[in-house]
């Protein structure tokens, strides 16, 4: 209040009170709007570290050294929405005989014998209101690495690209793919 | 559809979401398709199969009795019943009413955040995550087919297991409505592209159309004159709901006017609707 007095020396107390009461909510409201805008701009894709997995599956061994094609395990990727994670049966294809003495493989075999799936932790996950479909992307000739980074050299898969709305749309714009909200939102 | 309202709504969208919001031209490069539905009222028996199918396909919350009594029940497609004639010569008539996906939609112009808009394939789209729940659109809709979520939906075990993963579960505070089963349209587009062909006539069937035992409902591209829907829409029995409002609906109704029924405009000819919910 005394600042107002310094600015406007001839102001009465009552006038100062009225001006103060009128201006304060405006200032607070403005700050609120700015905070809201900042919040909305900041929320969006997050790039996280690699989550812990129940079995220490290593892409650099399988996709890297052993050069197993991605599609051998992620079978849905060319034709479906989901790339899909391979079943235990598919691992046992090799691990029925390969490296059966290692503790991690014995974990895997326990799943096989008890007929239970491995509860892998998701690394990439778009929100529920977003529709993402792998098929058209792979068919448009995009490499897995464009979005997932060099998985073949990763010991643990982690997310390297934000895959936020701006990120998706940036590429869609460059490739004249759809920018219609209904393409990506369900 | 362009208007001062929509332009300002888009400006708000740009301010909050950044420059990622596409321009008008990018969103509406009209590729020639217009999804639409033809409903033959002479075939409709009012059986409600479409209502049930829609409820299951689109994760629509369960309408408990009190929600219906409060007029807050959600049914993206509903059967309105009305009577023609006076007892004992009264006839029950049925009209399935769903979002009309108007070419000139009153709901689209009133949304302050551009959460509802017209897409290039003629659909009236509701972007749930963009919606802030003003309900202006529901109040602007002359067909009362937009529903507000007054609660978070709940599905008791084991019904939660039948939720459709291709459809968002809408939370409290937003508007929802018929999408013409957008998820099925999207799927057909991806499949047809996979197989390097166009979407065939009849390939996309919204849940209501698929479940109709009398094929009273037919879905298709109204801009392609060769589709069954287009041909039916040419029928001389055709009319659209509340034609005089100029909303240009994508849903066309067929009905033979029965010359034997005397219509009493004061009684008897009123719809017993599920009612406005808002």
């Amino acid at each position: 209040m005394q600042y107002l007095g310094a600015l406007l020396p001839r102001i009465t107390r009552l006038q100062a009170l009225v001006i103060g009461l009128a201006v304060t909510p405006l200032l607070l409201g403005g700050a609120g709007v700015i905070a809201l805008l900042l919040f909305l701009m900041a929320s969006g894709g997050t790039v996280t570290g690699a989550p812990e997995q129940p079995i220490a599956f290593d892409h650099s061994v399988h996709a890297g050294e052993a050069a197993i094609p991605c599609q051998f395990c992620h079978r849905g990727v060319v034709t479906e929405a989901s790339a899909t994670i391979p079943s235990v049966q598919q691992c046992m294809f090799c691990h029925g005989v390969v490296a059966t003495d290692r503790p991690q493989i014995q974990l895997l075999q326990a799943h096989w014998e008890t007929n239970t799936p491995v509860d892998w932790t998701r690394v990439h996950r778009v929100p529920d209101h977003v529709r993402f479909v792998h098929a058209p992307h792979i068919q448009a000739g995009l490499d897995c690495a464009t979005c997932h980074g060099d998985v073949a050299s990763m010991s643990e898969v982690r997310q390297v690209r934000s895959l936020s709305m701006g990120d998706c749309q940036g590429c869609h714009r460059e490739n004249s793919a759809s920018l219609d909200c209904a393409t990506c939102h369900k | 559809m362009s208007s001062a309202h929509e332009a300002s709504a888009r400006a708000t969208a740009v301010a909050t979401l950044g420059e990622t919001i596409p321009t008008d031209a990018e969103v509406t490069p009209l590729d020639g398709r217009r999804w639409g539905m033809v409903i033959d009222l002479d075939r409709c028996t009012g059986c409600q199969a479409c209502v049930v199918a829609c409820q299951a396909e689109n994760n629509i919350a369960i309408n408990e009795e009190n929600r219906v009594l409060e007029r807050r029940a959600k049914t993206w497609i509903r059967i309105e019943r009305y009577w023609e004639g006076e007892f004992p010569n009264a006839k029950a008539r049925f009209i399935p009413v769903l979002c009309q996906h108007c070419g000139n939609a009153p709901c689209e112009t009133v949304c302050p955040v551009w959460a509802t808009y017209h897409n290039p394939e003629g659909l009236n789209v509701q972007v749930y995550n963009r919606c802030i729940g003003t309900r202006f659109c529901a109040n602007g809709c002359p067909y009362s087919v937009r529903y507000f979520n007054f609660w978070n939906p709940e599905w008791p075990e084991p019904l939660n297991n039948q939720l459709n993963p291709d459809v968002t579960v809408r939370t409290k505070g937003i508007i929802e409505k018929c999408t013409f089963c957008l998820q099925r349209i999207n799927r057909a587009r991806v499949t047809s592209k996979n197989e390097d062909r166009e979407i065939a006539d009849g390939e996309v069937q919204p849940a209501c159309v698929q479940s109709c035992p009398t094929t009273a409902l037919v879905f298709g591209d109204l801009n392609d004159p060769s589709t069954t829907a287009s041909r039916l829409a040419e029928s001389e029995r055709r009319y659209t709901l509340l034609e005089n409002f100029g909303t240009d609906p994508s849903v066309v109704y067929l009905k033979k006017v029965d010359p034997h029924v005397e219509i009493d405009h004061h009684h008897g000819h009123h719809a017993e609707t599920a009612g406005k919910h808002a």
Side-chain angles (χ1 to χ4, degrees):
Chain A
M1 210 65 80
Q2 64 267 46
Y3 301 116
L4 204 61
L7 263 173
L8 304 165
R10 300 178 57 186
I11 202 165
T12 67
R13 275 188 86 93
L14 184 67
Q15 280 168 328
L17 191 67
V18 169
I19 293 175
L21 282 177
V23 167
T24 312
L26 279 181
L27 288 177
L28 287 178
V33 167
I34 289 168
L36 183 69
L37 289 182
L38 285 177
F39 167 77
L40 286 170
M41 279 148 84
S43 69
T46 39
V47 178
T48 49
E52 202 168 326
Q53 298 291 354
I55 293 178
F57 178 82
D58 187 338
H59 274 81
S60 74
V61 171
H62 294 88
E65 284 162 34
I68 310 173
C70 315
Q71 272 103 305
F72 178 82
C73 292
H74 301 297
R75 298 198 162 181
V77 84
V78 184
T79 52
E80 309 292 329
S82 291
T84 69
I85 302 294
S87 64
V88 175
Q89 185 179 20
Q90 236 172 299
C91 311
M92 294 309 286
F93 195 66
C94 290
H95 287 294
V97 287
V98 176
T100 48
D101 54 332
R102 318 272 170 81
Q104 291 294 317
I105 300 302
Q106 279 157 6
L107 272 178
L108 186 66
Q109 279 168 337
H111 279 284
W112 176 241
E113 274 148 26
T114 54
N115 221 350
T116 48
V118 183
D119 203 359
W120 302 107
T121 308
R122 280 293 286 263
V123 183
H124 304 79
R125 168 76 97 188
V126 291
D128 269 359
H129 55 72
V130 176
R131 163 176 178 263
F132 177 79
V133 195
H134 271 96
H137 293 96
I138 310 306
Q139 284 172 14
L142 292 175
D143 199 38
C144 313
T146 325
C147 297
H148 293 300
D150 186 8
V151 176
S153 68
M154 291 180 194
S155 300
E156 294 168 316
V157 188
R158 63 185 181 282
Q159 187 169 341
V160 297
R161 187 172 174 151
S162 84
L163 298 171
S164 63
M165 178 156 143
D167 189 16
C168 307
Q169 291 199 334
C171 181
H172 277 211
R173 232 185 223 114
E174 276 165 29
N175 290 283
S176 329
S178 169
L179 288 170
D180 179 15
C181 316
T183 306
C184 303
H185 289 292
K186 54 186 189 185
Chain B
M1 277 265 321
S2 209
S3 71
H5 253 98
E6 236 181 57
S8 84
R10 186 168 300 122
T12 324
V14 169
T16 51
L17 282 174
E19 287 302 329
T20 59
I21 288 292
T23 61
D24 214 353
E26 280 172 329
V27 179
T28 336
L30 291 170
D31 68 354
R33 213 177 257 138
R34 178 174 184 178
W35 295 113
M37 193 181 289
V38 179
I39 302 182
D40 190 338
L41 298 180
D42 292 326
R43 284 172 175 267
C44 177
T45 62
C47 75
Q48 310 259 1
C50 52
V51 178
V52 176
C54 175
Q55 207 87 7
E57 168 77 13
N58 291 303
N59 301 338
I60 299 174
I62 297 166
N63 292 317
E64 289 151 17
E65 190 181 351
N66 53 345
R67 310 252 145 122
V68 178
L69 294 175
E70 284 169 327
R71 303 192 156 210
R72 288 178 176 183
K74 285 184 286 253
T75 48
W76 288 4
I77 182 168
R78 62 173 185 264
I79 307 281
E80 295 200 348
R81 184 191 59 193
Y82 65 100
W83 300 101
E84 264 180 10
E86 286 293 331
F87 182 83
N89 294 320
K91 285 183 179 170
R93 303 290 191 196
F94 306 101
I95 308 185
V97 180
L98 67 165
C99 172
Q100 308 282 307
H101 293 268
C102 306
N104 192 7
C107 56
E108 287 168 13
T109 46
V110 295
C111 179
V113 295
W114 205 39
T116 185
Y117 72 101
H118 221 66
N119 100 334
E121 303 199 332
L123 300 175
N124 170 255
V125 178
Q126 180 74 12
V127 184
Y128 301 126
N129 46 318
R130 184 76 192 146
C131 177
I132 58 169
T134 63
R135 291 188 265 159
F136 295 164
C137 58
N139 293 332
C141 174
Y143 307 101
S144 295
V145 290
R146 293 181 149 265
Y147 299 89
F148 186 69
N149 282 275
F150 286 93
W151 300 273
N152 273 326
E154 276 167 31
W155 286 270
E157 292 267 6
L159 291 178
N160 56 336
N161 293 321
Q162 66 129 46
L163 289 178
N164 184 349
D166 292 336
V167 180
T168 313
V169 168
R170 284 80 55 189
T171 46
K172 182 161 89 178
I174 61 172
I175 287 280
E176 62 178 59
K177 62 155 202 90
C178 160
T179 63
F180 270 168
C181 286
L182 176 63
Q183 66 279 11
R184 295 185 178 204
I185 298 175
N186 278 334
R187 177 163 296 180
R189 189 175 53 245
V190 171
T191 326
S192 63
K193 231 183 243 170
N194 268 352
E195 295 166 6
D196 203 15
R197 58 175 176 80
E198 287 294 307
I199 300 177
D201 182 25
E203 183 175 351
V204 184
Q205 283 198 327
C208 54
V209 173
Q210 188 183 27
S211 63
C212 180
T214 61
T215 54
L217 279 57
V218 176
F219 186 75
D221 179 4
L222 294 182
N223 275 359
D224 174 353
S226 72
T227 60
T228 315
S230 291
R231 279 185 285 115
L232 286 172
E234 296 285 291
S235 162
E236 55 187 27
R237 291 183 293 142
R238 71 160 280 152
Y239 76 99
T240 52
L241 278 192
L242 305 179
E243 216 145 31
N244 51 329
F245 283 23
T247 49
D248 184 21
S250 297
V251 178
V252 172
Y253 291 85
L254 307 183
K255 180 85 183 89
K256 184 163 183 259
V257 178
D258 187 344
H260 303 297
V261 175
E262 248 180 66
I263 297 171
D264 178 347
H265 286 282
H266 299 287
H267 311 283
H269 190 58
H270 58 89
E272 280 174 19
T273 72
K276 241 181 131 75
H277 50 88

